[in-house]
Short mmCIF file of all heavy atoms in Angstrom, two decimals:
data_model
loop_
_atom_site.label_atom_id
_atom_site.label_comp_id
_atom_site.label_asym_id
_atom_site.label_seq_id
_atom_site.Cartn_x
_atom_site.Cartn_y
_atom_site.Cartn_z
N MET I 1 0.84 -1.18 0.00
CA MET I 1 0.00 0.00 0.00
C MET I 1 0.89 1.24 0.00
O MET I 1 1.75 1.38 0.84
CB MET I 1 -0.91 0.00 1.23
CG MET I 1 -2.02 1.00 1.13
SD MET I 1 -3.15 0.91 2.53
CE MET I 1 -2.31 1.97 3.70
N ALA I 2 0.64 2.12 -0.93
CA ALA I 2 1.45 3.34 -1.04
C ALA I 2 0.55 4.56 -0.95
O ALA I 2 -0.66 4.46 -1.11
CB ALA I 2 2.19 3.33 -2.36
N LEU I 3 1.18 5.68 -0.67
CA LEU I 3 0.43 6.93 -0.60
C LEU I 3 0.60 7.69 -1.92
O LEU I 3 1.71 7.83 -2.43
CB LEU I 3 0.92 7.79 0.56
CG LEU I 3 0.52 7.30 1.96
CD1 LEU I 3 1.18 8.16 3.02
CD2 LEU I 3 -0.98 7.32 2.13
N ILE I 4 -0.49 8.18 -2.44
CA ILE I 4 -0.47 8.97 -3.67
C ILE I 4 -1.10 10.33 -3.37
O ILE I 4 -1.75 10.51 -2.35
CB ILE I 4 -1.22 8.26 -4.82
CG1 ILE I 4 -2.66 7.98 -4.43
CG2 ILE I 4 -0.49 6.99 -5.23
CD1 ILE I 4 -3.52 7.48 -5.57
N HIS I 5 -0.92 11.24 -4.28
CA HIS I 5 -1.49 12.58 -4.09
C HIS I 5 -2.82 12.66 -4.82
O HIS I 5 -2.95 12.24 -5.97
CB HIS I 5 -0.54 13.65 -4.63
CG HIS I 5 0.63 13.88 -3.72
ND1 HIS I 5 0.59 14.76 -2.66
CD2 HIS I 5 1.86 13.32 -3.70
CE1 HIS I 5 1.75 14.74 -2.04
NE2 HIS I 5 2.55 13.87 -2.65
N CYS I 6 -3.83 13.21 -4.14
CA CYS I 6 -5.15 13.42 -4.75
C CYS I 6 -4.98 14.43 -5.89
O CYS I 6 -4.32 15.46 -5.73
CB CYS I 6 -6.12 13.95 -3.70
SG CYS I 6 -7.71 14.47 -4.37
N THR I 7 -5.60 14.11 -7.02
CA THR I 7 -5.46 14.99 -8.19
C THR I 7 -6.23 16.29 -8.02
O THR I 7 -5.95 17.27 -8.70
CB THR I 7 -5.93 14.27 -9.46
OG1 THR I 7 -7.25 13.77 -9.23
CG2 THR I 7 -5.01 13.13 -9.81
N ALA I 8 -7.20 16.31 -7.10
CA ALA I 8 -8.03 17.51 -6.93
C ALA I 8 -7.48 18.45 -5.86
O ALA I 8 -7.37 19.65 -6.07
CB ALA I 8 -9.46 17.10 -6.59
N CYS I 9 -7.11 17.89 -4.67
CA CYS I 9 -6.72 18.76 -3.56
C CYS I 9 -5.29 18.53 -3.11
O CYS I 9 -4.83 19.19 -2.19
CB CYS I 9 -7.69 18.59 -2.39
SG CYS I 9 -7.52 16.99 -1.58
N ASP I 10 -4.58 17.57 -3.73
CA ASP I 10 -3.18 17.27 -3.42
C ASP I 10 -3.00 16.67 -2.03
O ASP I 10 -1.89 16.61 -1.52
CB ASP I 10 -2.30 18.52 -3.59
CG ASP I 10 -0.91 18.13 -4.10
OD1 ASP I 10 -0.82 17.19 -4.91
OD2 ASP I 10 0.08 18.75 -3.66
N HIS I 11 -4.09 16.25 -1.39
CA HIS I 11 -4.04 15.55 -0.10
C HIS I 11 -3.42 14.18 -0.34
O HIS I 11 -3.67 13.56 -1.36
CB HIS I 11 -5.46 15.43 0.44
CG HIS I 11 -5.53 15.03 1.88
ND1 HIS I 11 -5.48 15.94 2.91
CD2 HIS I 11 -5.65 13.81 2.45
CE1 HIS I 11 -5.57 15.29 4.06
NE2 HIS I 11 -5.68 14.00 3.81
N ARG I 12 -2.62 13.69 0.61
CA ARG I 12 -2.01 12.37 0.45
C ARG I 12 -3.03 11.30 0.85
O ARG I 12 -3.54 11.30 1.96
CB ARG I 12 -0.76 12.25 1.30
CG ARG I 12 0.35 13.16 0.82
CD ARG I 12 1.64 12.88 1.55
NE ARG I 12 2.27 11.69 1.00
CZ ARG I 12 3.33 11.09 1.56
NH1 ARG I 12 3.84 11.57 2.64
NH2 ARG I 12 3.84 10.01 1.01
N ILE I 13 -3.31 10.37 -0.07
CA ILE I 13 -4.29 9.32 0.19
C ILE I 13 -3.69 7.97 -0.19
O ILE I 13 -2.71 7.89 -0.92
CB ILE I 13 -5.60 9.55 -0.61
CG1 ILE I 13 -5.31 9.58 -2.11
CG2 ILE I 13 -6.28 10.83 -0.18
CD1 ILE I 13 -6.54 9.64 -2.97
N SER I 14 -4.29 6.90 0.32
CA SER I 14 -3.84 5.55 0.00
C SER I 14 -4.18 5.24 -1.46
O SER I 14 -5.21 5.68 -1.97
CB SER I 14 -4.54 4.56 0.91
OG SER I 14 -4.47 3.26 0.38
N ASP I 15 -3.32 4.47 -2.10
CA ASP I 15 -3.61 4.10 -3.48
C ASP I 15 -4.74 3.08 -3.55
O ASP I 15 -5.25 2.77 -4.62
CB ASP I 15 -2.36 3.58 -4.19
CG ASP I 15 -1.82 2.31 -3.56
OD1 ASP I 15 -2.20 2.02 -2.41
OD2 ASP I 15 -1.02 1.62 -4.20
N MET I 16 -5.13 2.52 -2.37
CA MET I 16 -6.25 1.59 -2.32
C MET I 16 -7.58 2.32 -2.10
O MET I 16 -8.65 1.71 -2.19
CB MET I 16 -6.06 0.57 -1.19
CG MET I 16 -4.79 -0.25 -1.29
SD MET I 16 -4.78 -1.34 -2.71
CE MET I 16 -5.90 -2.60 -2.13
N ALA I 17 -7.52 3.61 -1.79
CA ALA I 17 -8.73 4.36 -1.48
C ALA I 17 -9.59 4.54 -2.73
O ALA I 17 -9.08 4.74 -3.83
CB ALA I 17 -8.38 5.71 -0.91
N VAL I 18 -10.89 4.43 -2.53
CA VAL I 18 -11.83 4.63 -3.63
C VAL I 18 -11.90 6.12 -3.98
O VAL I 18 -11.92 6.50 -5.14
CB VAL I 18 -13.22 4.11 -3.23
CG1 VAL I 18 -14.23 4.39 -4.34
CG2 VAL I 18 -13.16 2.63 -2.94
N ALA I 19 -11.95 6.93 -2.93
CA ALA I 19 -12.05 8.37 -3.13
C ALA I 19 -11.21 9.06 -2.06
O ALA I 19 -10.90 8.48 -1.03
CB ALA I 19 -13.50 8.82 -3.02
N CYS I 20 -10.86 10.29 -2.33
CA CYS I 20 -10.08 11.08 -1.38
C CYS I 20 -10.93 11.36 -0.14
O CYS I 20 -12.03 11.89 -0.26
CB CYS I 20 -9.65 12.39 -2.06
SG CYS I 20 -8.90 13.56 -0.93
N PRO I 21 -10.45 10.99 1.08
CA PRO I 21 -11.24 11.24 2.28
C PRO I 21 -11.37 12.72 2.61
O PRO I 21 -12.22 13.13 3.39
CB PRO I 21 -10.47 10.49 3.37
CG PRO I 21 -9.11 10.32 2.83
CD PRO I 21 -9.19 10.32 1.34
N SER I 22 -10.49 13.53 2.03
CA SER I 22 -10.51 14.96 2.32
C SER I 22 -11.54 15.70 1.47
O SER I 22 -12.32 16.48 1.98
CB SER I 22 -9.11 15.52 2.09
OG SER I 22 -9.11 16.91 2.26
N CYS I 23 -11.53 15.44 0.15
CA CYS I 23 -12.42 16.20 -0.73
C CYS I 23 -13.43 15.31 -1.45
O CYS I 23 -14.33 15.82 -2.10
CB CYS I 23 -11.60 16.99 -1.75
SG CYS I 23 -10.80 15.96 -2.99
N GLY I 24 -13.28 13.99 -1.35
CA GLY I 24 -14.23 13.09 -1.98
C GLY I 24 -14.00 12.84 -3.46
O GLY I 24 -14.78 12.15 -4.11
N HIS I 25 -12.90 13.38 -3.96
CA HIS I 25 -12.60 13.19 -5.38
C HIS I 25 -12.25 11.72 -5.62
O HIS I 25 -11.42 11.15 -4.92
CB HIS I 25 -11.42 14.08 -5.78
CG HIS I 25 -11.12 14.05 -7.24
ND1 HIS I 25 -11.85 14.79 -8.16
CD2 HIS I 25 -10.20 13.37 -7.96
CE1 HIS I 25 -11.36 14.57 -9.36
NE2 HIS I 25 -10.36 13.71 -9.28
N PRO I 26 -12.90 11.07 -6.60
CA PRO I 26 -12.60 9.65 -6.87
C PRO I 26 -11.16 9.48 -7.36
O PRO I 26 -10.66 10.29 -8.13
CB PRO I 26 -13.61 9.26 -7.94
CG PRO I 26 -14.10 10.54 -8.52
CD PRO I 26 -13.92 11.60 -7.49
N SER I 27 -10.51 8.44 -6.85
CA SER I 27 -9.11 8.22 -7.22
C SER I 27 -8.97 7.01 -8.11
O SER I 27 -9.69 6.03 -7.96
CB SER I 27 -8.28 8.03 -5.96
OG SER I 27 -8.64 6.83 -5.33
N ARG I 28 -8.01 7.08 -9.01
CA ARG I 28 -7.62 5.96 -9.86
C ARG I 28 -8.84 5.24 -10.47
O ARG I 28 -9.14 4.12 -10.08
CB ARG I 28 -6.80 4.95 -9.06
CG ARG I 28 -5.59 5.55 -8.38
CD ARG I 28 -4.45 5.82 -9.34
NE ARG I 28 -3.89 4.58 -9.82
CZ ARG I 28 -2.91 3.91 -9.23
NH1 ARG I 28 -2.38 4.36 -8.12
NH2 ARG I 28 -2.44 2.80 -9.75
N PRO I 29 -9.55 5.86 -11.41
CA PRO I 29 -10.72 5.20 -12.01
C PRO I 29 -10.38 3.90 -12.72
O PRO I 29 -11.25 3.05 -12.88
CB PRO I 29 -11.25 6.25 -12.99
CG PRO I 29 -10.22 7.31 -13.09
CD PRO I 29 -9.31 7.20 -11.93
N ASP I 30 -9.12 3.73 -13.12
CA ASP I 30 -8.72 2.50 -13.81
C ASP I 30 -8.74 1.30 -12.90
O ASP I 30 -8.82 0.16 -13.34
CB ASP I 30 -7.33 2.67 -14.44
CG ASP I 30 -6.29 3.09 -13.40
OD1 ASP I 30 -6.56 4.06 -12.67
OD2 ASP I 30 -5.24 2.45 -13.34
N ARG I 31 -8.66 1.54 -11.57
CA ARG I 31 -8.61 0.42 -10.62
C ARG I 31 -9.98 0.04 -10.11
O ARG I 31 -10.10 -0.81 -9.25
CB ARG I 31 -7.72 0.80 -9.44
CG ARG I 31 -6.26 0.92 -9.84
CD ARG I 31 -5.45 1.14 -8.60
NE ARG I 31 -5.67 0.07 -7.64
CZ ARG I 31 -4.75 -0.38 -6.82
NH1 ARG I 31 -3.57 0.13 -6.85
NH2 ARG I 31 -5.03 -1.34 -5.98
N ARG I 32 -11.01 0.69 -10.57
CA ARG I 32 -12.34 0.46 -10.03
C ARG I 32 -12.92 -0.88 -10.44
O ARG I 32 -13.05 -1.18 -11.61
CB ARG I 32 -13.27 1.55 -10.50
CG ARG I 32 -13.12 2.81 -9.70
CD ARG I 32 -14.29 3.66 -9.98
NE ARG I 32 -14.14 4.95 -9.32
CZ ARG I 32 -15.05 5.89 -9.42
NH1 ARG I 32 -16.10 5.69 -10.16
NH2 ARG I 32 -14.89 7.00 -8.81
N GLY I 33 -13.32 -1.67 -9.46
CA GLY I 33 -14.08 -2.88 -9.72
C GLY I 33 -15.50 -2.67 -9.24
O GLY I 33 -15.87 -1.55 -8.89
N ALA I 34 -16.26 -3.74 -9.19
CA ALA I 34 -17.65 -3.65 -8.75
C ALA I 34 -17.72 -3.17 -7.31
O ALA I 34 -18.56 -2.36 -6.95
CB ALA I 34 -18.32 -4.99 -8.90
N LEU I 35 -16.79 -3.67 -6.46
CA LEU I 35 -16.80 -3.30 -5.05
C LEU I 35 -16.48 -1.83 -4.88
O LEU I 35 -17.11 -1.14 -4.08
CB LEU I 35 -15.78 -4.14 -4.29
CG LEU I 35 -16.19 -5.56 -3.93
CD1 LEU I 35 -15.04 -6.30 -3.29
CD2 LEU I 35 -17.37 -5.54 -2.98
N ASN I 36 -15.51 -1.32 -5.64
CA ASN I 36 -15.13 0.08 -5.49
C ASN I 36 -16.22 1.01 -5.98
O ASN I 36 -16.43 2.07 -5.42
CB ASN I 36 -13.83 0.34 -6.26
CG ASN I 36 -12.63 -0.21 -5.52
OD1 ASN I 36 -12.75 -0.71 -4.43
ND2 ASN I 36 -11.47 -0.12 -6.14
N VAL I 37 -16.93 0.61 -7.05
CA VAL I 37 -18.04 1.42 -7.54
C VAL I 37 -19.11 1.51 -6.47
O VAL I 37 -19.68 2.56 -6.21
CB VAL I 37 -18.61 0.81 -8.85
CG1 VAL I 37 -19.92 1.48 -9.21
CG2 VAL I 37 -17.60 0.99 -9.96
N LEU I 38 -19.34 0.38 -5.78
CA LEU I 38 -20.30 0.35 -4.68
C LEU I 38 -19.89 1.34 -3.61
O LEU I 38 -20.73 2.07 -3.09
CB LEU I 38 -20.35 -1.07 -4.10
CG LEU I 38 -21.66 -1.52 -3.49
CD1 LEU I 38 -22.65 -1.82 -4.59
CD2 LEU I 38 -21.44 -2.76 -2.65
N GLY I 39 -18.60 1.39 -3.30
CA GLY I 39 -18.10 2.33 -2.30
C GLY I 39 -18.29 3.76 -2.73
O GLY I 39 -18.62 4.62 -1.93
N SER I 40 -18.13 4.04 -4.01
CA SER I 40 -18.32 5.39 -4.51
C SER I 40 -19.78 5.81 -4.42
O SER I 40 -20.08 6.95 -4.10
CB SER I 40 -17.87 5.47 -5.97
OG SER I 40 -16.55 5.08 -6.09
N VAL I 41 -20.67 4.86 -4.70
CA VAL I 41 -22.10 5.15 -4.63
C VAL I 41 -22.48 5.51 -3.20
O VAL I 41 -23.26 6.43 -2.97
CB VAL I 41 -22.92 3.93 -5.13
CG1 VAL I 41 -24.39 4.09 -4.79
CG2 VAL I 41 -22.73 3.76 -6.62
N ALA I 42 -21.88 4.81 -2.24
CA ALA I 42 -22.16 5.11 -0.83
C ALA I 42 -21.68 6.50 -0.47
O ALA I 42 -22.14 7.09 0.50
CB ALA I 42 -21.52 4.07 0.07
N GLY I 43 -20.75 7.04 -1.24
CA GLY I 43 -20.28 8.40 -1.03
C GLY I 43 -19.39 8.55 0.17
O GLY I 43 -19.13 9.64 0.63
N THR I 44 -18.90 7.43 0.69
CA THR I 44 -18.03 7.48 1.86
C THR I 44 -16.71 6.81 1.55
O THR I 44 -16.53 6.21 0.50
CB THR I 44 -18.69 6.77 3.05
OG1 THR I 44 -19.14 5.49 2.61
CG2 THR I 44 -19.84 7.56 3.59
N TYR I 45 -15.79 6.92 2.48
CA TYR I 45 -14.47 6.35 2.32
C TYR I 45 -14.51 4.88 2.70
O TYR I 45 -14.25 4.51 3.83
CB TYR I 45 -13.48 7.12 3.18
CG TYR I 45 -12.08 6.58 3.16
CD1 TYR I 45 -11.37 6.52 1.97
CD2 TYR I 45 -11.47 6.17 4.32
CE1 TYR I 45 -10.08 6.04 1.96
CE2 TYR I 45 -10.20 5.68 4.32
CZ TYR I 45 -9.50 5.63 3.13
OH TYR I 45 -8.23 5.14 3.12
N ILE I 46 -14.90 4.03 1.76
CA ILE I 46 -14.98 2.60 2.01
C ILE I 46 -14.03 1.91 1.03
O ILE I 46 -14.19 2.03 -0.18
CB ILE I 46 -16.41 2.07 1.80
CG1 ILE I 46 -17.38 2.78 2.73
CG2 ILE I 46 -16.45 0.57 2.02
CD1 ILE I 46 -18.83 2.39 2.50
N SER I 47 -13.06 1.22 1.56
CA SER I 47 -12.13 0.51 0.69
C SER I 47 -12.71 -0.85 0.31
O SER I 47 -13.63 -1.35 0.94
CB SER I 47 -10.79 0.33 1.40
OG SER I 47 -10.95 -0.57 2.47
N ALA I 48 -12.17 -1.44 -0.71
CA ALA I 48 -12.63 -2.75 -1.15
C ALA I 48 -12.43 -3.78 -0.05
O ALA I 48 -13.24 -4.70 0.10
CB ALA I 48 -11.88 -3.16 -2.41
N THR I 49 -11.36 -3.63 0.74
CA THR I 49 -11.10 -4.56 1.83
C THR I 49 -12.20 -4.49 2.88
O THR I 49 -12.65 -5.52 3.38
CB THR I 49 -9.75 -4.22 2.50
OG1 THR I 49 -8.85 -3.77 1.51
CG2 THR I 49 -9.18 -5.42 3.18
N THR I 50 -12.64 -3.29 3.19
CA THR I 50 -13.70 -3.11 4.18
C THR I 50 -14.98 -3.75 3.69
O THR I 50 -15.66 -4.45 4.44
CB THR I 50 -13.93 -1.60 4.42
OG1 THR I 50 -12.69 -0.99 4.69
CG2 THR I 50 -14.88 -1.38 5.58
N LEU I 51 -15.31 -3.53 2.41
CA LEU I 51 -16.53 -4.11 1.85
C LEU I 51 -16.43 -5.64 1.85
O LEU I 51 -17.42 -6.32 2.14
CB LEU I 51 -16.74 -3.60 0.42
CG LEU I 51 -17.33 -2.19 0.32
CD1 LEU I 51 -17.32 -1.73 -1.12
CD2 LEU I 51 -18.74 -2.16 0.88
N ALA I 52 -15.25 -6.17 1.55
CA ALA I 52 -15.08 -7.62 1.53
C ALA I 52 -15.28 -8.22 2.91
O ALA I 52 -15.96 -9.23 3.07
CB ALA I 52 -13.70 -7.97 0.99
N SER I 53 -14.72 -7.57 3.94
CA SER I 53 -14.88 -8.08 5.30
C SER I 53 -16.32 -7.93 5.76
O SER I 53 -16.84 -8.77 6.49
CB SER I 53 -13.93 -7.36 6.27
OG SER I 53 -14.15 -5.98 6.22
N LEU I 54 -16.99 -6.88 5.32
CA LEU I 54 -18.40 -6.68 5.63
C LEU I 54 -19.24 -7.81 5.02
O LEU I 54 -20.10 -8.39 5.68
CB LEU I 54 -18.87 -5.33 5.09
CG LEU I 54 -20.14 -4.76 5.68
CD1 LEU I 54 -19.89 -4.26 7.09
CD2 LEU I 54 -20.65 -3.62 4.82
N ALA I 55 -18.96 -8.14 3.76
CA ALA I 55 -19.68 -9.21 3.08
C ALA I 55 -19.43 -10.54 3.76
O ALA I 55 -20.34 -11.36 3.93
CB ALA I 55 -19.26 -9.27 1.61
N LEU I 56 -18.18 -10.77 4.20
CA LEU I 56 -17.83 -12.00 4.90
C LEU I 56 -18.58 -12.10 6.22
O LEU I 56 -19.10 -13.16 6.58
CB LEU I 56 -16.31 -12.04 5.15
CG LEU I 56 -15.75 -13.36 5.66
CD1 LEU I 56 -15.77 -14.41 4.56
CD2 LEU I 56 -14.33 -13.17 6.16
N GLY I 57 -18.67 -10.99 6.92
CA GLY I 57 -19.40 -10.96 8.18
C GLY I 57 -20.86 -11.28 8.00
O GLY I 57 -21.44 -12.05 8.76
N VAL I 58 -21.48 -10.71 6.97
CA VAL I 58 -22.89 -10.97 6.69
C VAL I 58 -23.09 -12.44 6.33
O VAL I 58 -24.02 -13.09 6.80
CB VAL I 58 -23.38 -10.04 5.56
CG1 VAL I 58 -24.76 -10.48 5.07
CG2 VAL I 58 -23.43 -8.60 6.03
N ALA I 59 -22.18 -12.99 5.51
CA ALA I 59 -22.28 -14.40 5.11
C ALA I 59 -22.17 -15.31 6.31
O ALA I 59 -22.93 -16.29 6.44
CB ALA I 59 -21.18 -14.72 4.09
N MET I 60 -21.23 -15.01 7.23
CA MET I 60 -21.06 -15.83 8.43
C MET I 60 -22.29 -15.74 9.33
O MET I 60 -22.70 -16.73 9.92
CB MET I 60 -19.80 -15.39 9.19
CG MET I 60 -18.53 -15.85 8.53
SD MET I 60 -17.08 -15.36 9.47
CE MET I 60 -17.20 -16.45 10.86
N PHE I 61 -22.89 -14.56 9.42
CA PHE I 61 -24.09 -14.38 10.24
C PHE I 61 -25.24 -15.22 9.67
O PHE I 61 -25.96 -15.90 10.41
CB PHE I 61 -24.48 -12.90 10.27
CG PHE I 61 -25.78 -12.64 10.98
CD1 PHE I 61 -25.83 -12.65 12.36
CD2 PHE I 61 -26.94 -12.39 10.26
CE1 PHE I 61 -27.02 -12.41 13.01
CE2 PHE I 61 -28.13 -12.16 10.91
CZ PHE I 61 -28.17 -12.17 12.29
N VAL I 62 -25.40 -15.20 8.34
CA VAL I 62 -26.48 -15.95 7.70
C VAL I 62 -26.26 -17.45 7.91
O VAL I 62 -27.21 -18.19 8.22
CB VAL I 62 -26.54 -15.60 6.19
CG1 VAL I 62 -27.44 -16.57 5.43
CG2 VAL I 62 -27.03 -14.17 6.01
N CYS I 63 -25.01 -17.92 7.80
CA CYS I 63 -24.71 -19.34 8.00
C CYS I 63 -25.02 -19.75 9.44
O CYS I 63 -25.64 -20.79 9.68
CB CYS I 63 -23.24 -19.62 7.70
SG CYS I 63 -22.87 -19.59 5.95
N THR I 64 -24.61 -18.95 10.42
CA THR I 64 -24.88 -19.24 11.81
C THR I 64 -26.38 -19.29 12.08
O THR I 64 -26.87 -20.19 12.76
CB THR I 64 -24.22 -18.18 12.71
OG1 THR I 64 -22.86 -18.04 12.34
CG2 THR I 64 -24.30 -18.58 14.17
N ALA I 65 -27.11 -18.33 11.53
CA ALA I 65 -28.55 -18.29 11.70
C ALA I 65 -29.20 -19.53 11.09
O ALA I 65 -30.11 -20.12 11.68
CB ALA I 65 -29.12 -17.02 11.07
N ALA I 66 -28.73 -19.95 9.92
CA ALA I 66 -29.28 -21.12 9.25
C ALA I 66 -29.06 -22.38 10.09
O ALA I 66 -29.96 -23.21 10.24
CB ALA I 66 -28.64 -21.28 7.87
N VAL I 67 -27.86 -22.53 10.67
CA VAL I 67 -27.54 -23.68 11.51
C VAL I 67 -28.43 -23.68 12.74
O VAL I 67 -28.98 -24.72 13.13
CB VAL I 67 -26.04 -23.68 11.89
CG1 VAL I 67 -25.75 -24.68 13.00
CG2 VAL I 67 -25.18 -23.98 10.67
N LEU I 68 -28.57 -22.54 13.39
CA LEU I 68 -29.39 -22.44 14.60
C LEU I 68 -30.86 -22.77 14.30
O LEU I 68 -31.50 -23.52 15.05
CB LEU I 68 -29.29 -21.04 15.20
CG LEU I 68 -27.99 -20.74 15.96
CD1 LEU I 68 -27.95 -19.29 16.38
CD2 LEU I 68 -27.87 -21.66 17.16
N ILE I 69 -31.37 -22.25 13.20
CA ILE I 69 -32.77 -22.51 12.83
C ILE I 69 -32.98 -24.00 12.56
O ILE I 69 -33.96 -24.61 13.01
CB ILE I 69 -33.17 -21.66 11.61
CG1 ILE I 69 -33.27 -20.18 12.02
CG2 ILE I 69 -34.48 -22.14 10.99
CD1 ILE I 69 -33.37 -19.22 10.85
N THR I 70 -32.02 -24.62 11.85
CA THR I 70 -32.10 -26.05 11.56
C THR I 70 -32.09 -26.86 12.85
O THR I 70 -32.89 -27.79 13.03
CB THR I 70 -30.91 -26.47 10.66
OG1 THR I 70 -30.87 -25.62 9.54
CG2 THR I 70 -31.06 -27.91 10.21
N LEU I 71 -31.20 -26.52 13.79
CA LEU I 71 -31.11 -27.24 15.07
C LEU I 71 -32.40 -27.10 15.86
O LEU I 71 -32.90 -28.07 16.44
CB LEU I 71 -29.92 -26.72 15.89
CG LEU I 71 -28.53 -27.17 15.42
CD1 LEU I 71 -27.46 -26.47 16.22
CD2 LEU I 71 -28.41 -28.68 15.53
N ILE I 72 -32.96 -25.90 15.90
CA ILE I 72 -34.19 -25.66 16.66
C ILE I 72 -35.35 -26.44 16.05
O ILE I 72 -36.14 -27.08 16.76
CB ILE I 72 -34.49 -24.15 16.71
CG1 ILE I 72 -33.46 -23.44 17.59
CG2 ILE I 72 -35.90 -23.88 17.22
CD1 ILE I 72 -33.48 -21.93 17.46
N LEU I 73 -35.45 -26.43 14.72
CA LEU I 73 -36.55 -27.12 14.06
C LEU I 73 -36.45 -28.64 14.23
O LEU I 73 -37.46 -29.32 14.37
CB LEU I 73 -36.58 -26.76 12.57
CG LEU I 73 -37.07 -25.34 12.26
CD1 LEU I 73 -37.05 -25.10 10.76
CD2 LEU I 73 -38.46 -25.11 12.80
N HIS I 74 -35.22 -29.19 14.24
CA HIS I 74 -35.04 -30.63 14.34
C HIS I 74 -35.14 -31.15 15.78
O HIS I 74 -35.29 -32.34 15.99
CB HIS I 74 -33.70 -31.04 13.72
CG HIS I 74 -33.76 -31.12 12.23
ND1 HIS I 74 -33.99 -32.29 11.55
CD2 HIS I 74 -33.65 -30.16 11.30
CE1 HIS I 74 -34.01 -32.04 10.25
NE2 HIS I 74 -33.81 -30.74 10.07
N SER I 75 -35.04 -30.25 16.75
CA SER I 75 -35.09 -30.68 18.14
C SER I 75 -36.53 -30.93 18.59
O SER I 75 -36.75 -31.48 19.66
CB SER I 75 -34.41 -29.65 19.03
OG SER I 75 -35.15 -28.44 19.00
N ARG I 76 -37.50 -30.49 17.80
CA ARG I 76 -38.90 -30.66 18.17
C ARG I 76 -39.39 -32.08 17.90
O ARG I 76 -38.95 -32.71 16.97
CB ARG I 76 -39.78 -29.67 17.41
CG ARG I 76 -39.57 -28.28 17.93
CD ARG I 76 -40.51 -27.31 17.24
NE ARG I 76 -40.29 -25.96 17.77
CZ ARG I 76 -40.94 -24.90 17.31
NH1 ARG I 76 -41.81 -25.01 16.33
NH2 ARG I 76 -40.70 -23.74 17.83
ZN1 ZN Y 101 -8.76 15.29 -2.49
#
């Protein structure tokens, strides 16, 4: 991970950042994937790593809930 300069305000930002946290200017449009576009739509400083961990957390919650529901239904 390296620091680059924002093209709009010259603030130093991570090269992994979707947008500049200082001015919100989108960074490195060539690196944008589906996850980064999602982060831009949210209009906040959300990196692809954060979104990936968020998705993993939701998936683990759904799996745990499914196991618990199955156990409860089968115990009757
Ligand atoms: Zn900026």
Side-chain angles (χ1 to χ4, degrees):
M1 194 176 86
L3 287 174
I4 58 171
H5 285 274
C6 172
T7 53
C9 70
D10 214 37
H11 193 87
R12 293 188 78 189
I13 59 173
S14 162
D15 63 343
M16 301 294 285
V18 176
C20 171
S22 176
C23 71
H25 186 81
S27 67
R28 305 284 291 271
D30 55 309
R31 291 186 56 147
R32 280 195 185 180
L35 281 175
N36 284 356
V37 169
L38 210 74
S40 303
V41 168
T44 50
Y45 177 60
I46 301 175
S47 68
T49 325
T50 310
L51 281 173
S53 57
L54 199 73
L56 190 71
V58 169
M60 285 182 72
F61 175 77
V62 168
C63 286
T64 309
V67 168
L68 284 175
I69 289 168
T70 307
L71 285 174
I72 290 167
L73 287 180
H74 280 264
S75 65
R76 288 184 179 177

